[in-house]
Amino acid sequence: MSAREGQDARPAKEPRAAARPAVCARFDDLGLDDPARTYRLGIMGGTFDPVHIGHLACAEQARDELGLDGVVFIPAGVPVYKKDQRVTPAAQRLEMCRLAVAGNPAFDVSSIEVDRAGDTYTVDTLRQLRAHYPGNVELWFITGADAVGSIVKWRDSAQIAHLAKLVAVTRPGWPISEETRHALRERSDFQVTFLEVTGMAVSSSDLRARVAAGRTIRYLTKGSVIRYIESHRLYRNDEREGEGA
Ligand code: ATP
Ligand code: MG
């Protein structure tokens, strides 16, 4: 089939053809179908070094509980709060996220943070998403209980509050203290939804330590991710000497 025929055969509604997606292939056109309807896009930010079942399950449960139209995983390019530790190259963390979300039509992965030069700040990401999507798409930023308290202290936190709603999911070992709840309540500009999710005491740090020690990580992340870790020899002691995690 010629390229011309290929174009003609495409359904009329197919979005932005072969152009590189601005955010991610699956959700770039969210909001356009029905301008009168409000759409909800979940955003799962993190280092994902590597992505694990805790990330996947809390994104899925947030989607289900909050009626999100989709969740986009956005691995940080240069995570500012992890500068003192060795982090796997962004392209590999991105690829592991891609492998992990494959098969869930409500999930996708975006490279916008990885593609952006310099340190990664959530506010820049939210600005970029807000500029891309029409006003009938709400942004719901999902974060674990360990991170939610610090968001009010992040760079341009007032902007973050303005751009997105927050979803604070429970995480074993990280109870949301009364102090954190108070700090969030004080900031009336933040709209926070506290969401109880199935408790999974799994962390990327633990997965990395397990691999380094030659222990199994089976069932702690997707099999495809485990195969990627093995074939690229990630997190092995010889690869990450000196890492504290
Ligand atoms: P690390 O141990 O390297 O910090 P991590 O497991 O905390 O890794 P991150 O990439 O730092 O993973 O986390 C991304 C987001 O996912 C954060 O908002 C974090 O709070 C949340 N998160 C991670 N693991 C869980 C879990 N088991 N349950 C709930 N939320 C989680
Ligand atoms: Mg973490």
Side-chain angles (χ1 to χ4, degrees), residues 44-49 52 54-55 58 82 85 142-147 169-172 197 200-206 208:
M44 189 76 203
T47 312
F48 304 120
D49 191 13
H52 55 66
H55 301 126
C58 76
K82 294 192 174 169
Q85 74 185 59
I142 305 164
T143 170
D146 55 310
V169 301
T170 49
R171 182 171 189 181
V197 295
M200 281 190 245
V202 53
S203 67
S204 303
S205 311
D206 180 55
R208 295 193 300 271

Side-chain angles (χ1 to χ4, degrees), residues 3-138:
R4 177 83 206 133
E5 281 164 344
Q7 276 174 16
D8 290 341
R10 219 185 297 129
K13 267 187 70 187
E14 189 173 332
R16 290 195 187 96
R20 189 177 153 78
V23 174
C24 61
R26 194 160 263 156
F27 303 124
D28 257 13
D29 290 331
L30 194 69
L32 298 183
D33 268 356
D34 182 357
R37 184 191 145 198
T38 299
Y39 293 80
R40 295 178 164 189
L41 181 65
I43 296 140
M44 189 76 203
T47 312
F48 304 120
D49 191 13
V51 62
H52 55 66
I53 54 163
H55 301 126
L56 295 165
C58 76
E60 170 65 7
Q61 292 185 16
R63 182 201 62 73
D64 184 45
E65 289 283 336
L66 302 168
L68 305 179
D69 292 280
V71 180
V72 54
F73 286 66
I74 310 187
V78 182
V80 274
Y81 297 105
K82 294 192 174 169
K83 281 197 157 173
D84 54 338
Q85 74 185 59
R86 191 167 161 184
V87 174
T88 302
Q92 294 188 316
R93 291 182 286 109
L94 187 71
E95 186 55 26
M96 290 190 279
C97 285
R98 289 210 169 103
L99 292 168
V101 306
N104 186 340
F107 285 178
D108 203 354
V109 177
S110 174
S111 64
I112 54 172
E113 289 196 351
V114 167
D115 294 340
R116 201 162 58 225
D119 293 344
T120 300
Y121 290 100
T122 297
V123 70
D124 297 330
T125 305
L126 294 176
R127 281 197 187 109
Q128 199 172 337
L129 294 172
R130 193 64 277 165
H132 174 80
Y133 288 105
N136 60 330
V137 175
E138 294 175 349

